[in-house]
Amino acid sequence: MQEEEARQGFTPEMIDMMASIWTRSIITLIDVRFQNVASQYPLEQYKMPSSMFIYAYGGEAQIQLNETTFAMERFGLIHGGKGSLLSITPKGEIVETFMVFYRAESPLFFKKHLQQLLEQVNPFVQQFGYTPSNPILLRDWFQRMMNGWKRGKAMDQLQAKSFFYHLIHEVYRDLEGGEIRYLQPDPACSAKKYLDKHYREPIMFQQIADMFGISGGQLTRLFKKREGMNLQEYLIQRRIEAACHDLKHTEATVKEIATGAGFADEKNLFRMFKKHYKMTPSDYRKINALSMQVDGIDNDSQLNYDERELASLVKSYRDGESIMFGSLRSKEMILAAAISMMMLLTACTSGTPANNGGTVNTTPAQTQQTTQQEGAETGASEAVSQTRTITTVKGDVEVPNNPQRVVVDYLVGDVVALGVTPLGVARAARGEMEPVYANQITDSVKVAMEPEDIMTLEPDLIILAWSDESYDDLSKIAPTIYVPYGDMTTEERIHFISDVLNKQEEAKAVLNAYNGKIEESKLAFQNAGLSDVKITVGEFSDKSNYIAGAKHAVGELVYNELQLQAPPKVQTDIIDADKYWGDVSMEVLPAYSGDYMIFLGDGNVAADNAVWNSIPAVQHDRIVKVDSSLSWSTDVMTSSALIDYIVSQLLALAK
């Protein structure tokens, strides 16, 4: 997409206009340089003092102009305007570069005309990069240009300027020919630089992907291939590194550090610390305070700070163990070492040395402030550490006692019924359909269930039911519970989700009301003489018909919960065969049709369809139409509303 946009920016008309500007402008060569850029000493964030052409060759490299990173394979010609930030990072050992600095001015008698042209396009500040059609010729011109410039004589510098004009002509001839390959931005590298710069801010990964005209999933794949981790893992790592630095080197509170590092709140920081380093931020601060004091006593042993101190100071190693100071130690050993250090320091400072002529006093205000801060941090740590273990089909998952930031993909109605308003809901739950719980989720964020999107919400719990394909990625963001809703009854599912949300009492009330409605409905059917009628549930149209079985959301409700009967063919061919639904042609549809038909969705059958019109339920207008808002989900709120609707419609038709 970027290449197509670049081609559109260099149409024959635009190139002719830019050539006219070059012809009418006064060009002053400022300098011509040659530089070897080594991989261990890359050129970083060089602010260009003038407009520049950069010709690089000799191997692969990443060339960055401002926020855009270009991937160069063997040769690359880059142009940028004054003030642009230039970085060159070789992928191999070295990349050779020529740099031409120039300034363009307009003569007085051409000023008005040139100004009109420059308002349309300014070639002196344009940013572009491409692989030249004749790289060897360009290299020769750059070399001869530099040789003439360095000799310093007027005739030699005049020759250098002539080669510069040869260069401009060759560049525009390449652009006009359209056969060149534009240097494409490197999305993974640019995304990394963007995260390094903006990690303290709220991040929307799709917005980064939009810069390159690719999908969020494609950006994630490119980034993971390059960095060995996905976007949210890298973002978490950067934020934790920032928090670690602040914990070691500032007196800020944990809440202030969490906010400053980009976390939604201190609870999120606590959870990430416990997950990655098996300790709380306060514990990390205390341990590092002790190690710094010990370093002060023994100056022969120092820990070097390399801006990634956690990589060497503390690493998670199996469950419940840490690598600290380069050695493997258990939690008990860490605690014992910390206590020993504290006792040693206390012994060193508790006595009054003979030569000590004074004492250090702590004011009551300082003592109170310290106590309050430690108390607040301890309270927060205890609140976050209050978790429960839930056994799931994916294994045991540790969840917070009272989750506050819940994201749900499918069973939103179950969560809402239990008294929890989700922070985020899947787009399917808030798309064009108007769910029955719409008023309860007006403040919920509509989100795609992609890790990059969910990451921005900083959830403390994710409930996944629609598909488990993204379970592994989502579980790296927050505790994730997979609900195999198709294998659970409504009662089993509500009890399970209530255990996850710690809403057991609410679950009893919800199920009592739901089961009471089921019993009332069955009694109403019995009184209306509908207990023995045959019901067909499906989606119908002239082209295809899908007959629901008992595994279908509506089929389960009709056949299993309301205990209405299916026609014999539906029972044997679909329900007994344990099918979600069966694909039935219009010609054989009458054999699957019952006394009443529950018509799902927005399909339509032609008014003159002879087979459809021959079905008794159609002839006697015993059709119950159910729109998508009531038939797409099995959650308890939608099911409850669907029961009310089906019962009222069937009773009305029975009269």
Side-chain angles (χ1 to χ4, degrees), residues 208-367:
I208 303 176
D210 289 343
M211 297 177 187
F212 309 101
I214 60 178
S215 67
Q218 186 178 358
L219 176 62
T220 297
R221 288 190 293 274
L222 292 172
F223 191 89
K224 190 168 186 177
K225 182 178 180 181
R226 185 182 188 278
E227 298 297 327
M229 65 181 77
N230 59 36
L231 287 160
Q232 76 263 18
E233 289 172 332
Y234 184 77
L235 179 59
I236 290 172
Q237 175 181 295
R238 293 294 289 115
R239 287 174 171 172
I240 290 180
E241 288 173 356
C244 289
H245 179 271
D246 291 343
L247 286 166
K248 287 178 64 176
H249 301 287
T250 75
E251 298 299 324
T253 66
V254 173
K255 181 177 182 180
E256 292 168 342
I257 289 172
T259 303
F263 291 101
D265 50 41
E266 69 271 30
K267 291 183 179 180
N268 197 270
L269 174 61
F270 272 104
R271 184 171 59 80
M272 289 300 176
F273 250 83
K274 291 193 69 179
K275 180 176 180 179
H276 288 270
Y277 304 118
K278 311 301 181 185
M279 66 177 70
T280 67
S282 297
D283 292 337
Y284 176 82
R285 171 175 266 170
K286 292 174 182 177
I287 290 173
N288 276 277
L290 289 170
S291 68
M292 291 172 70
Q293 292 179 38
V294 171
D295 289 341
I297 296 172
D298 180 10
N299 290 323
D300 293 330
S301 175
Q302 298 290 337
L303 289 177
N304 294 325
Y305 173 64
D306 61 0
E307 296 184 352
R308 291 177 62 87
E309 66 278 1
L310 282 179
S312 59
L313 177 62
V314 181
K315 287 185 180 179
S316 172
Y317 185 81
R318 295 194 291 267
D319 188 18
E321 296 183 353
S322 301
I323 298 176
M324 298 187 60
F325 312 127
S327 302
L328 178 65
R329 304 178 182 178
S330 66
K331 287 183 177 178
E332 291 77 12
M333 292 177 68
I334 295 170
L335 182 59
I339 293 173
S340 298
M341 289 182 188
M342 293 177 67
M343 292 177 66
L344 173 63
L345 293 171
T346 302
C348 292
T349 59
S350 60
T352 304
N355 295 329
N356 187 3
T359 58
V360 178
N361 296 320
T362 303
T363 66
Q366 289 174 324
T367 303

Side-chain angles (χ1 to χ4, degrees), residues 24 92 109 143 163 225 231-232 242 256 275-276 378 387 396 561 573 595 644:
R24 289 166 171 78
F109 53 88
Q143 183 69 58
F163 279 119
K225 182 178 180 181
L231 287 160
Q232 76 263 18
E256 292 168 342
K275 180 176 180 179
H276 288 270
T378 302
T387 59
D396 288 348
E561 298 193 354
D573 293 358
D595 303 305
D644 290 338

Side-chain angles (χ1 to χ4, degrees), residues 105-276:
E105 298 172 306
S106 58
L108 292 176
F109 53 88
F110 275 132
K111 188 172 183 180
K112 184 175 181 181
H113 177 63
L114 274 181
Q115 189 60 41
Q116 292 173 343
L117 293 177
L118 288 169
E119 287 175 357
Q120 300 179 62
V121 59
N122 188 338
F124 310 126
V125 299
Q126 269 188 326
Q127 179 176 303
F128 62 86
Y130 75 96
T131 301
S133 60
N134 195 337
I136 303 303
L137 175 64
L138 281 192
R139 182 189 178 283
D140 181 61
W141 284 353
F142 273 102
Q143 183 69 58
R144 296 171 71 179
M145 194 188 315
M146 190 190 72
N147 291 342
W149 183 260
K150 293 301 181 185
R151 281 194 291 266
K153 294 182 179 180
M155 286 296 289
D156 293 324
Q157 293 192 346
L158 178 61
Q159 184 186 39
K161 190 170 183 178
S162 71
F163 279 119
F164 180 75
Y165 278 110
H166 277 302
L167 168 67
I168 302 303
H169 181 262
E170 183 70 16
V171 168
Y172 282 100
R173 201 167 65 170
D174 274 349
L175 296 174
E176 186 178 38
E179 300 300 323
I180 60 172
R181 184 177 65 84
Y182 289 93
L183 297 183
Q184 294 298 293
D186 185 335
C189 181
S190 295
K192 182 179 179 181
K193 291 181 182 294
Y194 184 88
L195 294 178
D196 287 341
K197 185 176 180 180
H198 300 283
Y199 66 89
R200 297 179 186 271
E201 307 166 12
I203 300 290
M204 291 293 291
F205 293 116
Q206 185 56 51
Q207 291 180 356
I208 303 176
D210 289 343
M211 297 177 187
F212 309 101
I214 60 178
S215 67
Q218 186 178 358
L219 176 62
T220 297
R221 288 190 293 274
L222 292 172
F223 191 89
K224 190 168 186 177
K225 182 178 180 181
R226 185 182 188 278
E227 298 297 327
M229 65 181 77
N230 59 36
L231 287 160
Q232 76 263 18
E233 289 172 332
Y234 184 77
L235 179 59
I236 290 172
Q237 175 181 295
R238 293 294 289 115
R239 287 174 171 172
I240 290 180
E241 288 173 356
C244 289
H245 179 271
D246 291 343
L247 286 166
K248 287 178 64 176
H249 301 287
T250 75
E251 298 299 324
T253 66
V254 173
K255 181 177 182 180
E256 292 168 342
I257 289 172
T259 303
F263 291 101
D265 50 41
E266 69 271 30
K267 291 183 179 180
N268 197 270
L269 174 61
F270 272 104
R271 184 171 59 80
M272 289 300 176
F273 250 83
K274 291 193 69 179
K275 180 176 180 179
H276 288 270

Side-chain angles (χ1 to χ4, degrees), residues 410 466 485-490 493 514 536-540 546-561 570 574-575 578-582 598-601 626-628 630-635 638-639 642 646:
Y410 182 62
W466 183 256
Y485 69 94
D487 300 328
M488 301 173 115
T489 64
T490 299
R493 195 181 67 246
Y514 185 76
T536 299
V537 180
E539 297 179 4
F540 308 103
Y546 298 95
I547 309 301
K551 296 188 73 173
H552 184 278
V554 182
E556 179 188 10
L557 187 148
V558 170
Y559 300 130
N560 292 343
E561 298 193 354
V570 174
I574 301 174
I575 297 178
D578 203 29
K579 293 181 179 179
Y580 185 79
W581 55 18
I598 296 180
F599 196 131
L600 304 177
V626 178
D627 64 38
S628 299
L630 289 177
S631 62
W632 78 281
S633 176
T634 61
D635 70 79
T638 303
S639 295
L642 182 58
I646 289 177

